[in-house]
Amino acid sequence: AAAKAEVDSEAAKAKAAIDAAQTNASVEVEKATGIAKIDAVNPSTESSEKNLLKKDIDAVAAAKKAEIEARKDLTQEEKDVAKSLVDVEANKAKAAIDAAKTSEEVQTAATAGITAIQAINPVAEVKPAAKAAIDEAAAAKKASLDARDDLTAEEKAAAKAEVDSEAAKAKAAIDAAQTNASVEVEKATGIAKIDAV
């Protein structure tokens, strides 16, 4: 609508200039100048509302992916799944922006897309499950130490402290692990060390 008003304004200016021109030659010059100015009114695709909003979607998606990548509680596989979800939502939003007919529809599509991207908050499952397995192994080992009649109270206390120490080391190693496979390795190693106390 703004572009159409600008076309009308350029047309009016051209007609006024033609009226003011004195000779046939200057009429032609003013006519050509007016036509060129009218043709120049073309909302550039770079700065158009749709393109600007699609750039906003890309920026929000990039920020969300960086946020996911920085999370230490997720394995690489969990991060990759979440980041691909971000891409899916971003592409859906951009398609909806392209399909929108009015400025209002464009804004609605952009807002919905940004909300959907920001709502992606993957729940860490692999590391917490591995740490829970360490806790279970430690609890079971301490119960079996308590049940032993051949140990003194002091020996049991020392052994249980060692179990706690191995469990803490295993959980720290699990936190530091990057992939699902390395989490599994650290879990197995930790359980083996706890059982060996």
Side-chain angles (χ1 to χ4, degrees):
K4 283 196 236 175
E6 197 180 334
V7 167
D8 290 341
S9 152
E10 288 300 344
K13 281 194 264 184
K15 288 194 262 188
I18 288 167
D19 284 339
Q22 301 299 311
T23 65
N24 287 349
S26 54
V27 165
E28 286 304 318
V29 168
E30 295 302 344
K31 183 174 84 175
T33 305
I35 290 171
K37 285 188 177 170
I38 289 167
D39 287 342
V41 179
N42 180 17
S44 89
T45 50
E46 274 313 298
S47 65
S48 74
E49 183 180 30
K50 286 187 177 186
N51 276 39
L52 289 174
L53 286 171
K54 286 196 284 185
K55 282 183 184 164
D56 287 346
I57 295 286
D58 284 336
V60 170
K64 175 54 83 169
K65 288 202 271 191
E67 175 193 299
I68 291 166
E69 189 57 48
R71 279 179 54 180
K72 300 273 187 271
D73 60 329
L74 302 172
T75 62
Q76 195 57 52
E77 290 87 344
E78 287 174 317
K79 290 177 185 181
D80 291 343
V81 167
K83 288 194 288 185
S84 68
L85 274 180
V86 170
D87 286 334
V88 166
E89 289 299 342
N91 289 333
K92 275 203 303 201
K94 290 194 280 189
I97 288 169
D98 279 335
K101 297 284 186 278
T102 65
S103 179
E104 190 181 348
E105 284 176 9
V106 168
Q107 291 290 344
T108 302
T111 303
I114 289 169
T115 303
I117 290 166
Q118 288 174 334
I120 294 169
N121 184 24
V123 176
E125 291 174 2
V126 177
K127 291 185 182 186
K131 289 195 282 186
I134 293 292
D135 284 336
E136 281 171 31
K141 183 64 179 184
K142 287 197 274 190
S144 77
L145 288 168
D146 273 332
R148 280 174 61 178
D149 295 330
D150 59 328
L151 300 173
T152 65
E154 289 81 4
E155 286 172 324
K156 286 180 184 179
K160 287 197 278 187
E162 195 183 334
V163 167
D164 285 337
S165 164
E166 288 298 344
K169 281 193 275 188
K171 289 198 272 189
I174 287 166
D175 278 333
Q178 301 290 315
T179 64
N180 289 355
S182 55
V183 167
E184 284 304 312
V185 168
E186 297 301 348
K187 180 179 84 173
T189 304
I191 290 171
K193 286 186 177 171
I194 287 165
D195 287 342
V197 173

